[in-house]
Amino acid sequence: MGVVALRAVIDHPDLALTDVVVHSEAKIGRDAGELCGTYPVGVLATADAETLIQGDADVVVYAAAANVRPLEAIADMASLLRAGKNVVSCSVVPLVYPEVVDDALTQPLADAAAAGGSSFFTTGIDTGFANDVLPLVLSGVSRTIRSVRVTEIFNYATYPEKGAVYEILGFGKPPEFEAFAATEGVFTFGWGPVVHQIAHGLGCEIDRLEEDVERLVVEESFDTPTGRIEAGTVGAMRSTLTGHVDGGRTIVVDHVSRMHDDLAPHWPQPRISMAPSDFGFGGASGQGVYRVEIKGSPDIVCELELAEDHDHDLGARIAGAAHMVNAIPAVYAAKPGLLSVLDLPIITGVGLMDVEPGLSPDSRLVGGAK
């Protein structure tokens, strides 16, 4: 996400890159443009975050991994906020709606934002645009609403972060492996705030949350671009979080994750797909869509497909990173404190009609934008 966001900052006509902080020695001293596959821009990567803190960036894009280090990521971001830097991030996913997140995570950020007079905003694609902005915008054409369901249907076979796929999600592991993402309460921790945010955007409250996680063990071995899934190991997982509202109404976040399109055919499938019909290793990531279903009057189904050269994985990451970067002007102009999409105007692609798109290699970066 960081390197894609870096390219978006460089390409954006209204933003100027000031600093890049990296977490790999191999990237230190390299030009930021080289790191994301574009022309040299004269900004060299450093591992010293203090240069960013002391520099003149107005907004910092923080995209360092935080799945297993949320407290360290929060400490990083608090130091930036305290220094007066506004922060947009995709790292600690529950913070898309900080109002319902435990004080242990939000208070350090709130205190730092107050001290620095700065603003903080977390977004992405999921959590982020696909399950907060999109369902709330669609609700604006409803006469009545009985339920809202947001489903991510994704093939993770080409997702470049192997640790996330094989260790955190537990794909390719025996069913007794204690995968972090399948641990009871983890999905509620990460995506519970999204359910509450949708509810608050619709003017109601969640009475209780109900979590369900299913895992599917494959019967035949197969290879993927990132590794082999052996027979008898986990090849698909479905995580569902149901928010119950008074009167029997529900708000649901549903994740259907596969390592091959043909697995678990009884789980939700895309209605349409830009992916090639023959799943291969030439850049296609298999199927990947975000679906919003609103039951009411009228019934609404909206399927969002994001692809870069038929690659849904890269398309989704570009979209999530771009939403961060495109939010920079709104976050800079916003009141100090912890923000959500309920506090900001709709983020649009102002100035992007003439930008030439480009691909980026994968990396973890922190960039500063002015």
PDB file of all heavy atoms in Angstrom, residues 48 130 201:
ATOM      1  N   ASP A  48      15.411   7.261   8.858  1.00  0.00           N
ATOM      2  CA  ASP A  48      15.337   8.151  10.018  1.00  0.00           C
ATOM      3  C   ASP A  48      14.028   8.930  10.000  1.00  0.00           C
ATOM      4  O   ASP A  48      13.881   9.903   9.272  1.00  0.00           O
ATOM      5  CB  ASP A  48      16.529   9.105  10.005  1.00  0.00           C
ATOM      6  CG  ASP A  48      16.564  10.017  11.232  1.00  0.00           C
ATOM      7  OD1 ASP A  48      15.769   9.777  12.170  1.00  0.00           O
ATOM      8  OD2 ASP A  48      17.367  10.961  11.236  1.00  0.00           O
ATOM      9  N   ALA A 130     -14.957   0.798   0.205  1.00  0.00           N
ATOM     10  CA  ALA A 130     -15.953  -0.192  -0.231  1.00  0.00           C
ATOM     11  C   ALA A 130     -16.958  -0.528   0.848  1.00  0.00           C
ATOM     12  O   ALA A 130     -18.081  -0.942   0.532  1.00  0.00           O
ATOM     13  CB  ALA A 130     -15.257  -1.472  -0.701  1.00  0.00           C
ATOM     14  N   GLY A 201     -24.060   6.284  10.444  1.00  0.00           N
ATOM     15  CA  GLY A 201     -24.353   7.043   9.231  1.00  0.00           C
ATOM     16  C   GLY A 201     -25.811   6.955   8.828  1.00  0.00           C
ATOM     17  O   GLY A 201     -26.325   7.838   8.135  1.00  0.00           O
TER      18      GLY A 201
END
